[in-house]
Amino acid sequence: MRLAAVRDGWVRRVDGRGLSHALVHVTRTAQRVTVADCANRAPASPITGGYRYAFNCDGEQNLFIRCHSEEGRHDFVTGARTPGPNVFTACTAVRSKADIGPHHRWSVGTLYDRIKTDGRLHVQDRGNAGTGHGWAGVTQVLWNCEAQELIVQSPWVSGKNYSFGCLGRKHPGRWGKGRPDGTWEGHQRPGVQPPSLYQAQLSERQRKRRAEAK
């Protein structure tokens, strides 16, 4: 399902099977789309580049909530120069074949909130990987995520990347110690508050709107 030139739209309770690329691809021309309670299962494709991007976001101000992916390569992913902000929250991935996170060329402003995977969650300089991916993302926040392996690096200039309360083995990244480490707080210590940064920010915004309406 490819969403282009869509604003204020939604995809809800869709279960996809036998797909090669993505269950939902929110393209660069889509804005304020909510993808909720969807699942991508039993993908049918080679396990290689260009395939199995289960929930793929290239647009801005989009929300993926309570989505599930099986046997994906990049289960929850953003592409080149994705403007953000975007949120993946309360999502799960099993039997992952590669990493979750920004994929290439300076994706900006993504929150990965309570993501659980048996695979990897990476924010790093991907260098000459693929088609020359370079720094995958900046202003990326991982909040109370669980993964087998975690990489969070920050570029030398123009922003930082963050990990708060995440569980998983910390990996030095594609270039080892040759890239600046991101900001890590509460690593391997469950219970960072609030449990969900997305929900906390949503509640605060709703509280302010109620106060303004009085």
Side-chain angles (χ1 to χ4, degrees):
M1 184 181 302
R2 185 174 184 270
L3 302 179
V6 174
R7 287 189 178 182
D8 302 307
W10 53 267
V11 179
R12 185 172 61 188
R13 293 199 294 269
V14 176
D15 194 329
R17 295 174 183 270
L19 303 175
S20 64
H21 175 59
L23 175 64
V24 181
H25 180 191
V26 178
T27 69
R28 186 172 299 278
T29 57
Q31 187 179 47
R32 299 192 298 271
V33 172
T34 295
V35 181
D37 303 299
C38 295
N40 191 52
R41 310 177 195 275
S45 73
I47 304 173
T48 188
Y51 296 100
R52 304 197 186 202
Y53 293 58
F55 295 91
N56 190 356
C57 181
D58 294 322
E60 59 182 319
Q61 295 180 302
N62 301 299
L63 170 67
F64 295 75
I65 183 168
R66 297 184 304 275
C67 293
H68 177 71
S69 173
E70 298 177 2
E71 300 182 48
R73 289 187 61 250
H74 304 296
D75 303 273
F76 306 106
V77 65
T78 56
R81 300 179 299 280
T82 301
N86 294 294
V87 177
F88 296 92
T89 182
C91 296
T92 56
V94 297
R95 300 186 297 281
S96 296
K97 307 302 182 183
D99 57 308
I100 292 168
H103 191 49
H104 60 115
R105 298 180 180 87
W106 211 252
S107 177
V108 177
T110 312
L111 171 62
Y112 296 87
D113 181 71
R114 297 181 299 156
I115 304 300
K116 292 186 178 181
T117 177
D118 57 7
R120 294 166 279 174
L121 212 170
H122 291 172
V123 183
Q124 64 170 329
D125 178 8
R126 296 174 63 89
N128 60 355
T131 53
H133 291 174
W135 278 102
V138 68
T139 324
Q140 308 288 298
V141 177
L142 279 53
W143 190 275
N144 281 339
C145 295
E146 296 183 26
Q148 181 185 76
E149 178 183 284
L150 296 163
I151 300 172
V152 179
Q153 298 175 332
S154 289
W156 292 283
V157 295
S158 302
K160 294 185 177 182
N161 296 312
Y162 304 85
S163 171
F164 295 95
C166 293
L167 306 179
R169 182 180 70 253
K170 184 177 179 180
H171 190 277
R174 178 180 175 88
W175 305 106
K177 296 183 179 180
R179 300 295 184 270
D181 203 9
T183 298
W184 296 73
E185 297 288 345
H187 181 227
Q188 302 289 44
R189 298 200 302 271
V192 166
Q193 296 297 315
S196 167
L197 182 59
Y198 165 74
Q199 291 294 340
Q201 291 177 333
L202 176 62
S203 296
E204 179 63 16
R205 187 164 66 249
Q206 291 171 335
R207 183 192 66 79
K208 289 182 178 179
R209 286 178 179 173
R210 289 192 296 267
E212 292 170 355
K214 291 181 179 178

